[in-house]
Amino acid sequence: MMIREAIVNDAEEMKNLHHRSVLELCSADYEIEQLEVWVNEHPLEKYRQRLMIHRSFIAEMDGKMVGYVRWNPASKELCSIFVHPDHVRQGIATKLMQKVYEDVQSYGVDELWLDASLTAVPFYQAEGWECVRQMMHGSLACVRMKKTLLS
């Protein structure tokens, strides 16, 4: 597996991976109607815009995208991390998180926050993130989490 910095031309493949991951992996925690709203709330152009202002990294295997992570240096938010459903539980998300932690430290950031889907909370807890509070994003229940990074 290789991890590289994302480029704007990755936007469509990132969007497709995000959609498939959400629809297949989050179905035990949310209704299909909620998931459909989630995956359809941002057009392709929004993905391109985010790639221009956020730090994003792609995990590839055999030249194919199998996961990605995105964080915002301005807000110190871990915005998203998704792994293709065919490649879960292979350490890809953990390696992407390690890349983010390295990148974050190069920006002098000592704490990150995120709003986790119910599906993702156990992963983040295993990564050492703390639950701050339960909240809603539209009709989606989620959990605000934070992680203090050691220098």
Side-chain angles (χ1 to χ4, degrees):
M1 183 183 67
M2 178 185 86
I3 296 178
R4 65 170 174 82
E5 196 163 338
I7 59 173
V8 173
N9 288 346
D10 291 318
E12 187 169 6
E13 195 171 357
M14 289 172 76
K15 180 180 181 191
N16 293 340
L17 186 149
H18 172 243
H19 286 205
R20 185 156 177 207
S21 180
V22 166
L23 293 173
E24 291 185 32
L25 301 176
C26 299
S27 61
D29 297 303
Y30 301 99
E31 298 295 323
I32 189 64
E33 295 81 14
Q34 293 173 299
L35 298 177
E36 297 269 342
V37 169
W38 181 5
V39 299
N40 291 312
E41 69 184 341
H42 298 295
L44 180 58
E45 187 55 33
K46 186 74 167 177
Y47 285 81
R48 289 187 180 115
Q49 290 169 357
R50 288 174 173 166
L51 282 169
M52 290 187 276
I53 59 172
H54 296 167
R55 301 282 297 153
S56 303
F57 299 95
I58 304 290
E60 289 182 329
M61 293 176 80
D62 300 322
K64 295 187 192 270
M65 185 183 299
V66 294
Y68 74 87
V69 65
R70 183 172 54 84
W71 78 280
N72 184 339
S75 66
K76 301 178 184 178
E77 176 187 10
L78 181 72
C79 305
S80 61
I81 183 168
F82 290 97
V83 173
H84 191 285
D86 293 344
H87 297 278
V88 295
R89 304 207 189 337
Q90 296 177 14
I92 295 167
T94 300
K95 288 182 178 154
L96 285 167
M97 290 300 293
Q98 290 169 348
K99 181 65 175 174
V100 165
Y101 298 148
E102 293 167 12
D103 197 52
V104 163
Q105 289 188 337
S106 73
Y107 278 78
V109 172
D110 60 1
E111 186 173 275
L112 288 173
W113 67 274
L114 60 83
D115 292 337
S117 70
L118 300 178
T119 307
V121 168
F123 167 76
Y124 290 120
Q125 287 175 319
E127 284 283 317
W129 290 73
E130 299 173 46
C131 296
V132 175
R133 69 177 183 275
Q134 300 236 348
M135 54 189 297
M136 299 293 288
H137 271 289
S139 67
L140 291 175
C142 62
V143 178
R144 173 71 47 98
M145 302 183 84
K146 70 175 184 171
K147 180 172 176 95
T148 302
L149 305 167
L150 303 175
S151 300

